[in-house]
Amino acid sequence: MYVTSGIITLTTDFGSSDGYVAAMKGVMLGLAPDVRLVDISNDIAPQDVMGGAFVLRNVWWHFPVGTVHLAVVDPGVGTTRRAIAMRYRGHTFVGPDNGLFSLVLSGDEPEHVVLLDKPRFWGTPTPSPTFHGRDIFGPVAARMSAGLSMTAAGTPVDSVMRMHWALPISDDEGTQGWVVHVDRFGNCVTNISAQELESRRRGRPVKCYAGNAIIPSFSATYADVSPGDATLLVNSNGLVEIAINNGNASEMLNIHKGAPVNVLFSDDKS
């Protein structure tokens, strides 16, 4: 039997106004009354599978081994896309097989993947073609948090669908990346890791071009620049982001998800 923590996390694009998340939670509590439900985010942009993958990537590993991570960003609901459960590093992931777990794996292989093809573990043998989160994924997640094994939950399959994370382009003169996430503060998170940048930068000054701005420096904290000024810094997930002290960088600098970010290195240290 798998180790279970009694915790289920939720990552969805359902929002909070329509009752979809509450319906899922109600079904799960009916099956596993003692489970602890933790929202990672229910505000993923509608149908943004990669956005959901990014948020899940940043959070899942903070939870105890045995946690079940329920993720439903599912534009293909009701179609032939597969419903799966995946085991990776002692955690269980339940959701659609549409690339949502790609960034969790980061190129690794899952330890175990099953197709959720056993209706006795669903909430109903005739699930709604528009709400598998309530009728399939939620019930299976609840049962797995209570001890249902991967082997019992479904038929083993060999692989999961992958989505490819866009990698920055680097040379000795600089690094080009893209904004992959804008948080609620307006900070613009790029796909440029601190490790990638520093391996090329080698202590040289930088200048960043993004949106309508030229950002001349790196900072350790938001407050290292004056209020209203823009800066580059490394965020808590080790990625370079563009921020404004006491301001919204996305709005003020006209930088949005998908925007290019060019960081150039200078040999002039004066």
Side-chain angles (χ1 to χ4, degrees):
M1 179 179 292
Y2 292 116
V3 173
T4 59
S5 69
I7 299 171
I8 299 175
T9 74
L10 289 90
T11 303
T12 80
D13 60 349
F14 291 159
S16 58
S17 62
D18 296 312
Y20 299 136
V21 175
M24 291 171 60
K25 290 181 176 180
V27 167
M28 289 189 286
L29 289 170
L31 293 168
D34 295 327
V35 73
R36 288 177 289 173
L37 301 174
V38 179
D39 293 312
I40 291 178
S41 176
N42 294 307
D43 292 317
I44 305 301
Q47 293 90 49
D48 187 358
V49 176
M50 186 56 86
F54 177 78
V55 171
L56 184 60
R57 162 196 182 269
N58 291 336
V59 176
W60 72 270
W61 52 276
H62 292 293
F63 285 84
V65 167
T67 296
V68 176
H69 302 279
L70 172 58
V72 188
V73 182
D74 193 14
V77 61
T79 69
T80 57
R81 71 92 184 90
R82 303 186 304 178
I84 62 168
M86 179 185 84
R87 189 76 171 175
Y88 180 65
R89 294 191 179 181
H91 293 244
T92 299
F93 300 82
V94 177
D97 184 28
N98 60 5
L100 192 52
F101 305 128
S102 299
L103 300 186
V104 168
L105 294 170
S106 297
D108 288 347
E109 293 298 327
E111 295 148 17
H112 196 177
V113 185
V114 297
L115 183 66
L116 301 180
D117 57 355
K118 298 187 177 181
R120 67 181 179 275
F121 298 127
W122 302 351
T124 170
T126 55
S128 165
T130 67
F131 202 176
H132 286 186
R134 179 195 65 194
D135 295 344
I136 297 177
F137 300 128
V140 171
R143 296 182 196 279
M144 296 187 93
S145 76
L148 176 67
S149 71
M150 295 281 287
T151 302
T155 302
V157 293
D158 293 333
S159 62
V160 297
M161 181 178 173
R162 305 278 186 156
M163 295 179 68
H164 295 291
W165 173 261
L167 297 176
I169 301 169
S170 298
D171 58 26
D172 196 55
E173 296 181 354
T175 297
Q176 180 185 45
W178 292 268
V179 173
V180 295
H181 181 71
V182 177
D183 70 17
R184 69 183 300 271
F185 300 100
N187 301 319
C188 302
V189 182
T190 76
N191 64 337
I192 304 170
S193 71
Q195 182 179 11
E196 166 74 15
L197 188 75
E198 291 304 324
S199 70
R200 298 283 186 172
R201 180 186 178 193
R202 300 190 298 276
R204 290 178 289 175
V206 302
K207 186 176 290 187
C208 175
Y209 296 82
N212 59 19
I214 301 173
I215 303 165
S217 64
F218 249 101
S219 298
T221 74
Y222 302 107
D224 284 350
V225 296
S226 299
D229 284 352
T231 188
L232 293 176
L233 73 165
V234 177
N235 71 11
S236 60
N237 293 305
L239 296 174
V240 174
E241 71 175 43
I242 299 166
I244 289 180
N245 185 12
N246 290 339
N248 186 307
S250 177
E251 294 179 358
M252 297 175 69
L253 305 180
N254 192 30
I255 302 173
H256 305 289
K257 186 175 177 179
V261 176
N262 290 286
V263 182
L264 300 183
F265 311 135
S266 172
D267 291 319
D268 180 6
K269 298 186 179 181
S270 60

